[in-house]
Amino acid sequence: MPKRTKSKAKRKTKASSPKRNAKPIEPVTPQYVPENASVVMALHDVIKVVKMIENHDKLTAFIRTIKNKGAEVRIPAQTVNLVKDFVATKGLHTNAVGKQIVNARKKTLEDTMFRTASATAAAADDGDPNQCVMGRVERG
């Protein structure tokens, strides 16, 4: 008896539905924190914010903006040490940024003295390929 093969029936494709126009984004006014006030925020929430910005392909623009504005974050020593331990135990210290985290430099006396903007800019180029300043201790 000859072997029969199943005939391949032509599949019917769905008629493409008309594309919808995206809803326009309405302008929003943020709820600003008063000047000279600070906010205590969990580290995992900060990471979620950065991840959301990265998922929307805006991380490069965000980094450029905060770098130009001179934004800074103060992190308690307990949190810094927890991150250092995590990086060291998970083997992330072979990465360039991981090396900076594990081998953080302490501030020297000359770093704590007042400097002009041009002297600070000249001192910022210390051969760091990532131009990151990680783990400089303020009171250490």
Side-chain angles (χ1 to χ4, degrees):
M1 213 183 223
K3 211 176 203 184
R4 292 188 181 189
T5 59
K6 292 182 180 178
S7 64
K8 293 183 180 179
K10 289 185 178 180
R11 294 182 183 181
K12 294 182 181 178
T13 59
K14 274 187 176 178
S16 60
S17 60
K19 295 191 177 192
R20 296 181 195 171
N21 292 333
K23 292 181 181 177
I25 299 173
E26 57 189 57
V28 176
T29 304
Q31 302 285 326
Y32 293 109
V33 177
E35 289 292 321
N36 299 323
S38 62
V39 175
V40 176
M41 191 174 190
L43 182 58
H44 69 273
D45 289 333
V46 174
I47 293 169
K48 283 181 182 180
V49 170
V50 174
K51 188 174 179 181
M52 180 266 308
I53 292 169
E54 182 182 28
N55 287 343
H56 286 86
D57 295 326
K58 302 293 183 192
L59 188 59
T60 305
F62 180 66
I63 291 171
R64 186 180 319 113
T65 301
I66 62 175
K67 191 173 181 179
N68 290 340
K69 298 284 183 181
E72 65 180 19
V73 177
R74 299 193 188 275
I75 304 171
Q78 179 184 5
T79 303
V80 172
N81 292 334
L82 182 117
V83 172
K84 286 175 179 275
D85 287 342
F86 183 85
V87 169
T89 57
K90 297 298 181 183
L92 302 174
H93 59 279
T94 57
N95 180 301
V97 175
K99 284 180 186 176
Q100 290 178 341
I101 291 170
V102 174
N103 302 319
R105 302 175 293 260
K106 286 188 175 184
K107 270 192 172 182
T108 61
L109 181 60
E110 61 193 34
D111 287 339
T112 57
M113 293 174 23
F114 177 77
R115 292 191 259 174
T116 63
S118 61
T120 304
D125 186 20
D126 59 355
D128 180 9
N130 299 313
Q131 294 301 312
C132 295
V133 181
M134 296 244 184
R136 289 201 172 137
V137 180
E138 287 184 337
R139 289 180 255 147

